[in-house]
């Protein structure tokens, strides 16, 4: 195997260094995700992205514990992110949700805890089955949840807090008070480049993580559209990959890193886990970046339509503020 390339880091407001390339675990199946995490850590990953709703944090926690016990890595060398699910936005539910995640991950604290969506669900609801499961934003304001998350840092349960799937307008609501989010994790890839949002976040000291950077072709069938474009099969990406003797996935990961964002490609395949990590050593040319910039089509693969069924207090326009 080739030597592990130097992984760039992103600096948070307190000068903490977060590895910019991490392992995503959304859609990583039970029985597979533990082996994937162990292999990732063994080959050089130091950033693991998790979430309670993924349903696999207990297995991930055991894999992390195995790596720590074996001396493969020390806890302070790892960056572990998780996310607050939508049914625990009430201030009194925020800390218990994190404590459950910490128990599952076998950790005393996280490095980063994110509000997964700017959408609140009724307590105990994993995914909404009826409009009443989705709480109107005025019933559970984002600011109240954010205030409760800030207390998690004071309690020593997480080093940093941030958000996910937040628009510029929703970020502005949180920035009216303190603390400022350390991170906004959003869907980013050449078909959805979100330049204004990325630029604004970076200008204000909010780091950005790209999820679904490879186009999320393995997401559930119910989330897919008919004849949707396949990012990994894009001819321009393929041509750039051939020029660099790389894979299309490596080009997409290298593009995310070149933008100054973090990126969390998911895989449970050992060879692909290694190939994704090697993308940190791929230097795209200015011409490559210019060609990729022309691919933007504002195409979401994660449209958030689970929050916008008929009768919901949300629409696509109010969810994304566009």
């Amino acid at each position: 195997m080739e030597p592990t390339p130097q992984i760039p880091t992103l600096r948070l407001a307190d000068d903490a260094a977060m590895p910019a390339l991490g392992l995503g675990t959304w859609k990583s199946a039970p029985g597979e995700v533990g082996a994937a995490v162990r292999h990732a850590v063994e080959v050089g990953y130091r950033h693991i992205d998790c979430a309670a709703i993924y349903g696999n944090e207990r297995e991930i926690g055991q894999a992390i514990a195995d790596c720590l016990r074996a001396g493969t890595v020390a806890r302070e060398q790892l960056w572990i992110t998780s996310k607050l699910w939508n049914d625990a936005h009430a201030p009194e539910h925020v800390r218990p949700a994190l404590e459950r995640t910490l128990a599952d991950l076998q950790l005393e604290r996280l490095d980063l805890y994110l509000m997964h969506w700017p959408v609140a669900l009724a307590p105990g609801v994993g995914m909404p089955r009826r409009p009443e499961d989705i709480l109107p934003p005025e019933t559970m304001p984002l600011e109240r949840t954010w205030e409760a998350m800030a207390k998690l840092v004071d309690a020593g349960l997480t080093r940093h807090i941030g958000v996910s799937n937040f628009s510029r307008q929703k970020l502005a609501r949180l920035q009216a008070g303190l603390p400022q989010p350390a991170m906004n994790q959003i869907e980013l890839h050449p078909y959805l480049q979100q330049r204004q949002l990325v630029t604004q976040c970076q200008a204000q000291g909010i780091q950005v993580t790209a999820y679904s950077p490879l186009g999320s072709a393995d997401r559930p069938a119910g989330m897919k559209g008919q004849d949707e474009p396949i990012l990994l099969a894009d001819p321009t990406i393929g041509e750039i990959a051939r020029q660099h003797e790389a894979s299309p996935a490596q080009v997409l990961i290298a593009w995310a890193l070149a933008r100054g964002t973090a990126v969390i490609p998911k895989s449970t395949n050992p060879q692909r886990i290694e190939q994704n990590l090697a993308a940190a050593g791929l230097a795209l040319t200015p011409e490559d970046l210019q060609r990729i910039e022309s691919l933007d089509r504002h195409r979401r693969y994660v449209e958030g339509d689970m929050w916008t069924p008929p009768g919901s207090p949300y629409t696509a326009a109010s969810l994304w503020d566009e």
Side-chain angles (χ1 to χ4, degrees), residues 7 12 51 61 88 164 208 218 229 250 274-275 307:
I7 298 173
L12 276 63
S164 181
V208 177
D218 62 345
Q250 288 175 322
E274 294 172 19
Q275 289 174 345
W307 317 130

Side-chain angles (χ1 to χ4, degrees), residues 97-319:
L98 175 53
E99 289 173 338
R100 286 191 296 272
T101 274
L102 289 172
D104 286 343
L105 292 174
Q106 300 185 41
L107 297 175
E108 293 184 359
R109 74 170 179 173
L110 294 178
D111 298 284
L112 178 62
Y113 196 47
L114 307 178
M115 198 187 314
H116 205 149
W117 284 90
V119 174
L121 300 177
V125 174
M127 295 298 292
R129 297 185 178 182
R130 53 183 186 167
E132 305 89 90
D133 291 337
I134 306 172
L135 302 181
E138 60 272 14
T139 301
M140 191 65 67
L142 297 172
E143 294 86 344
R144 290 182 59 206
T145 306
W146 188 245
E147 289 172 4
M149 289 187 67
K151 295 177 181 178
L152 303 174
V153 177
D154 297 335
L157 299 178
T158 183
R159 295 171 64 196
H160 307 91
I161 54 173
V163 296
S164 181
N165 297 297
F166 269 56
S167 65
R168 288 184 294 160
Q169 291 86 337
K170 290 183 176 64
L171 278 172
R173 288 174 54 184
L174 300 189
Q175 291 173 289
L178 293 175
Q180 176 170 271
M183 177 66 65
N184 189 15
Q185 184 176 127
I186 53 178
E187 181 180 351
L188 289 176
H189 44 72
Y191 289 171
L192 184 70
Q193 299 188 20
Q194 304 211 69
R195 295 187 197 98
Q196 286 187 325
L197 179 54
V198 171
T199 299
Q200 176 180 306
C201 286
Q202 292 174 336
Q204 295 176 343
I206 301 171
Q207 296 289 3
V208 177
T209 297
Y211 77 73
S212 295
L214 310 183
S216 198
D218 62 345
R219 71 195 190 284
M223 297 180 68
K224 294 183 178 181
Q226 289 188 337
D227 301 321
E228 67 180 23
I230 306 301
L231 180 59
L232 285 167
D234 184 89
T236 298
I237 298 297
E239 185 178 340
I240 294 171
R242 287 189 294 273
Q243 290 172 352
H244 288 276
E245 298 183 347
S247 70
Q250 288 175 322
V251 170
L252 295 170
I253 294 165
W255 174 80
L257 294 174
R259 299 183 89 197
T261 67
V263 59
I264 47 171
K266 167 262 176 185
S267 182
T268 56
N269 179 293
Q271 184 178 10
R272 286 182 183 151
I273 287 172
E274 294 172 19
Q275 289 174 345
N276 291 346
L277 183 65
L282 173 58
L284 299 176
T285 68
E287 292 76 18
D288 295 333
L289 297 175
Q290 188 173 14
R291 294 180 68 192
I292 294 172
E293 186 174 332
S294 70
L295 299 178
D296 197 4
R297 56 176 79 180
H298 202 69
R299 175 62 169 85
R300 293 186 187 277
Y301 288 108
V302 182
E303 296 179 316
D305 49 4
M306 58 280 203
W307 317 130
T308 61
S312 168
Y314 291 90
T315 63
S318 67
L319 178 64

Side-chain angles (χ1 to χ4, degrees), residues 18-23 45-49 78-79 81 209 262 264:
M18 185 185 90
L21 176 54
L23 179 73
Y45 283 78
R46 295 296 179 261
H47 172 181
I48 309 297
D49 182 84
L78 290 176
W79 185 280
T81 297
T209 297
I264 47 171

